[in-house]
Amino acid sequence: MSTRADARRNYDLLLAEARAAFAEHGTDASLRDVARRAGVGIGTLYRHFPTREALLEALMRSNFDGLREHAESLLTAGDTAAALQEWLGRLATGSMAYRGLPESVLAALRDEQSQLHESCVAMREAGARLLHRAQQAGRVRAEVTADELLALVSGLAWASEQARQPAEMLDQLLHIAMRGLAP
């Protein structure tokens, strides 16, 4: 196997094992354990992913891209509040993928040096366009900011994770939140 193919195989193995470790132990899972599970040394992990955030960004990139694309597709929806609620539900569900993910996203939004920052900002901006559209239509309070909305969704995701039926709890909490966001 060529060096390039071997490096790609290690990269893919590391992502797969990180996904499993983060799902099991949250975003604070041991990176040494991730490397061990992938059958590589910790140095190999750090060559591919110099920081925990770099690894998390690689795992979440497609999710963040999907959220941005979904927000763009919802910009033409007739019911602006329903479009915003649908996007927020998808964001919250994605936030529940790994324990600790909402905190990582909120921290990355505040830290321009974070490797997650750019992806998180683009996702926030996509949601902000949906929020602004719902505000212009008079369906959401004018004073609500995109940052407040992301913090609210992070809280809803966290609270839903604590329930026996997380998906049902999230749906119920999201409906309550949308009523509270209405003017």
Side-chain angles (χ1 to χ4, degrees):
M1 184 180 298
S2 72
T3 304
R4 174 174 255 155
D6 196 40
R8 183 62 198 185
R9 181 186 62 80
N10 287 342
Y11 180 89
D12 292 342
L13 276 171
L14 285 164
L15 281 179
E17 293 304 333
R19 188 173 289 111
F22 286 4
E24 189 177 336
H25 302 290
T27 57
D28 289 331
S30 164
L31 296 185
R32 277 192 191 288
D33 188 47
V34 169
R36 183 189 54 72
R37 290 166 66 159
V40 301
I42 191 71
T44 299
L45 182 142
Y46 282 120
R47 271 192 300 284
H48 287 287
F49 308 104
T51 65
R52 179 180 300 276
E53 283 186 338
L55 178 56
L56 190 55
E57 198 279 332
L59 285 173
M60 299 308 299
R61 185 179 307 129
S62 65
N63 293 11
F64 289 152
D65 289 346
L67 280 166
R68 286 193 304 273
E69 290 169 8
H70 190 59
E72 294 299 323
S73 74
L74 290 171
L75 284 173
T76 58
D79 186 341
T80 58
L84 179 62
Q85 183 172 342
E86 180 180 327
W87 187 81
L88 293 174
R90 185 175 279 191
L91 173 62
T93 299
S95 295
M96 292 166 39
Y98 307 123
R99 190 175 60 252
L101 183 59
E103 295 90 341
S104 297
V105 169
L106 292 176
L109 284 167
R110 292 185 301 268
D111 181 4
E112 292 180 13
Q113 303 306 311
S114 166
Q115 292 180 316
L116 279 172
H117 182 75
E118 188 177 314
S119 294
C120 292
V121 167
M123 181 195 51
R124 177 186 61 199
E125 288 172 359
R129 287 190 289 280
L130 285 173
L131 172 63
H132 182 68
R133 195 164 167 266
Q135 288 170 322
Q136 286 182 320
R139 301 291 308 276
V140 172
R141 296 170 185 256
E143 70 273 11
V144 176
T145 68
D147 286 336
E148 291 168 340
L149 202 56
L150 287 180
L152 176 64
V153 169
S154 293
L156 297 179
W158 177 86
S160 297
E161 285 178 338
Q162 313 312 307
R164 283 183 201 257
Q165 309 255 322
E168 291 174 14
M169 177 61 82
L170 176 60
D171 189 50
Q172 182 178 354
L173 292 175
L174 197 51
H175 282 293
I176 292 168
M178 289 303 293
R179 284 195 303 269
L181 292 170

